[in-house]
Amino acid sequence: MFAESAALRRIKASPTVAISAQARALKSEGVDVIALSAGEPDFDTPDNIKDAAIKAIRDGVTKYTDPDGTPELKRAICAKFKRENGLDYTPGQVHVAPGGKPVIYNALLASLSPGDEVLIPAPYWVSYPDMALLAGGEPVIVPTRAEDGFRLKPEALEAAITPRSKWLILNSPSNPTGAAYSAADLKAIAEVLLRHPQVWVLTDDMYEHLLYDGFEFSTIAQVEPALYDRTLTMNGVSKAYAMTGWRIGYAAGPEPLIKAMGKAISQTTSNASSISQAAAVEALNGPQDFIPERAAHFEKRRDLVVSMLNQASGLVCAKPEGAFYVYPSCEGLIGRKTEAGKVIGSDEDFAKELLAAEAVAVVHGAAFGLSPFFRISYATSTEVLEDACTRIQRFCASLR
Ligand SMILES: Cc1ncc(COP(=O)(O)O)c(C=O)c1O
């Protein structure tokens, strides 16, 4: 009989992937489901990027590449870090993998020994704790508060650090809250880290280009150069260039870490698709003007969703700085009953009953490590968002 490995038994399957699959299954049965559970832009990959991929195929760019990325893509990544973040990296400090997710996993796999701790502020992107476990480490969850804009407080970080702390993972703007850290916020966190040289920082900057109200992006290696030698600055093309299916993520950091990550990828996936890498070169080197245009669409959608959710009985929704998520509190509805008499005892019950009553799929906050909240992805059209928020309002009003 088949039995899962000891390593796999430590983790769970991605809850966001599971909820999206549930929504798709309902849709295939003919239910008019609105899925606000997926974390990907609804825009298409720009044509110049698609054309670069087609050209790569025609030119025979169809072979293995260096396991951790082509020289051309590494150069384009170095130019991006210099141009947009004022960070100096050489191609030997860059790692490319099939998506941002494997970049993070390779970093953890390359660096964690049993008992090493990974500090993860909650709410967190669902994959961090399980990737830390799979790589043999121990996730240490550090809660944040809605009152603090879901940002990690320096005191909370200080209290969570131990001699075994190996990494702090910072994600700004955040999935699932949309919260972003200003340069001053990062400076305060850096001050704590400077006192603890054993702690490295992995910054997940995937949503860098989705910031609103003029909020300026900052990343910790830029804000505190003294941390440069222990920071892995991670990013990717999935969200900024609407390239989730192409599978390209990247990171830059100290050479010994990058070498170790290269060793890990050389014996696992090997290189990301040669064609996707060629497309990513065009994404990073080509025209960037569509990025703020798309961000402006997302900003309007954020405003619509925040406003409509705050009109729903029992919900409180903060206005986040970036990404394409909101993370409203459903605390005001805990203890209420549905028309069928079911008690809403948790955010998971809320999400389940909302899907049953109004066919709107959202992800419960427990999946991200902070309750009672839920996550909505607003990467969909205004009409769909209006319909979804109207259904949510109707559901909340129906609870007694
Ligand atoms: C915060 C965050 N980091 C990393 C990723 C992974 O991106 P990719 O699709 O490139 O693996 C995601 C995707 O949802 C994300 O939300």
Side-chain angles (χ1 to χ4, degrees):
M1 202 180 72
F2 174 76
E4 267 189 2
S5 65
L8 216 60
R9 282 200 303 270
R10 298 186 79 198
I11 69 165
K12 57 189 181 317
S14 165
T16 47
V17 171
I19 288 164
S20 296
Q22 206 179 338
R24 269 197 301 275
L26 279 173
K27 213 168 222 168
S28 73
E29 288 164 20
V31 181
D32 172 24
V33 181
I34 304 181
L36 303 179
S37 45
E40 64 182 346
D42 54 323
F43 296 113
D44 198 2
T45 307
D47 281 341
N48 63 308
I49 298 173
K50 290 183 181 173
D51 290 343
I54 293 164
K55 182 170 183 309
I57 294 172
R58 294 211 191 286
D59 290 352
V61 183
T62 53
K63 310 287 192 205
Y64 292 129
T65 75
D66 289 342
D68 64 353
T70 63
E72 296 76 25
L73 181 52
K74 289 184 178 183
R75 280 197 297 274
I77 290 163
C78 292
K80 175 262 179 266
F81 279 128
K82 183 73 187 161
R83 178 177 75 236
E84 296 183 342
N85 310 110
L87 286 170
D88 286 303
Y89 289 113
T90 60
Q93 291 179 283
V94 174
H95 178 88
V96 176
K101 199 180 251 188
V103 171
I104 300 169
Y105 183 62
N106 291 342
L108 298 175
L109 186 64
S111 59
L112 291 178
S113 296
D116 283 348
E117 295 169 357
V118 181
L119 300 162
I120 304 172
Y124 45 73
W125 179 45
V126 290
S127 296
Y128 300 142
D130 288 308
M131 286 198 285
L133 286 167
L134 205 52
E138 299 300 328
V140 173
I141 307 304
V142 191
T144 67
R145 304 184 315 161
E147 303 89 280
D148 300 327
F150 300 111
R151 277 178 287 272
L152 176 65
K153 297 298 274 184
E155 312 80 79
L157 172 61
E158 181 77 62
I161 291 175
T162 76
R164 295 311 304 264
S165 304
K166 182 87 188 189
W167 285 103
L168 165 67
I169 301 186
L170 277 181
N171 172 217
S172 168
S174 146
N175 175 5
T177 63
Y181 289 73
S182 67
D185 296 328
L186 291 176
K187 192 87 189 164
I189 290 194
E191 269 169 33
V192 175
L193 294 173
L194 288 174
R195 290 196 286 275
H196 300 279
Q198 78 278 24
V199 189
W200 287 48
V201 201
L202 197 166
T203 73
D204 180 340
D205 299 345
M206 286 297 274
Y207 295 90
E208 167 178 11
H209 290 293
L210 296 172
L211 278 165
Y212 317 122
D213 307 318
F215 194 97
E216 251 186 63
F217 179 78
S218 302
T219 192
I220 205 159
Q222 165 200 34
V223 168
E224 181 46 79
L227 290 175
Y228 177 88
D229 287 334
R230 48 180 166 123
T231 299
L232 185 70
T233 306
M234 177 260 166
N235 211 314
V237 296
S238 296
K239 317 287 171 166
Y241 300 93
M243 291 176 70
T244 46
W246 299 74
R247 310 310 301 135
I248 296 289
Y250 58 84
E255 236 175 88
L257 169 65
I258 296 298
K259 275 216 173 82
M261 291 167 68
K263 184 172 165 188
I265 199 171
S266 77
Q267 294 292 25
T268 53
T269 58
S270 260
N271 62 278
S273 150
S274 57
I275 299 148
S276 296
Q277 290 191 70
V281 170
E282 172 63 18
L284 294 174
N285 288 346
Q288 308 289 312
D289 40 317
F290 68 93
I291 293 178
E293 287 164 21
R294 288 182 175 185
H297 283 286
F298 280 123
E299 182 167 345
K300 280 198 196 108
R301 293 167 177 183
R302 176 203 61 172
D303 292 346
L304 169 79
V305 168
V306 168
S307 154
M308 286 189 77
L309 290 177
N310 279 321
Q311 289 165 44
S313 160
L315 297 185
V316 177
C317 185
K319 193 184 220 181
E321 292 82 22
F324 39 66
Y325 308 103
V326 290
Y327 201 66
S329 163
C330 57
E331 190 170 13
L333 300 172
I334 301 297
R336 292 201 197 169
K337 276 188 190 156
T338 66
E339 282 167 345
K342 293 220 174 103
V343 178
I344 305 288
S346 64
D347 50 27
E348 190 161 7
D349 291 343
F350 174 84
K352 209 190 280 172
E353 296 306 325
L354 174 65
L355 185 61
E358 292 285 353
V360 177
V362 301
V363 185
H364 53 288
F368 307 102
L370 197 74
S371 294
F373 295 87
F374 61 99
R375 187 193 77 173
I376 282 182
S377 162
Y378 55 83
T380 186
S381 73
T382 309
E383 298 74 52
V384 171
L385 291 172
E386 273 172 359
D387 184 2
C389 290
T390 304
R391 294 188 198 192
I392 293 172
Q393 288 175 350
R394 195 161 56 213
F395 175 68
C396 294
S398 76
L399 298 174
R400 293 284 167 261

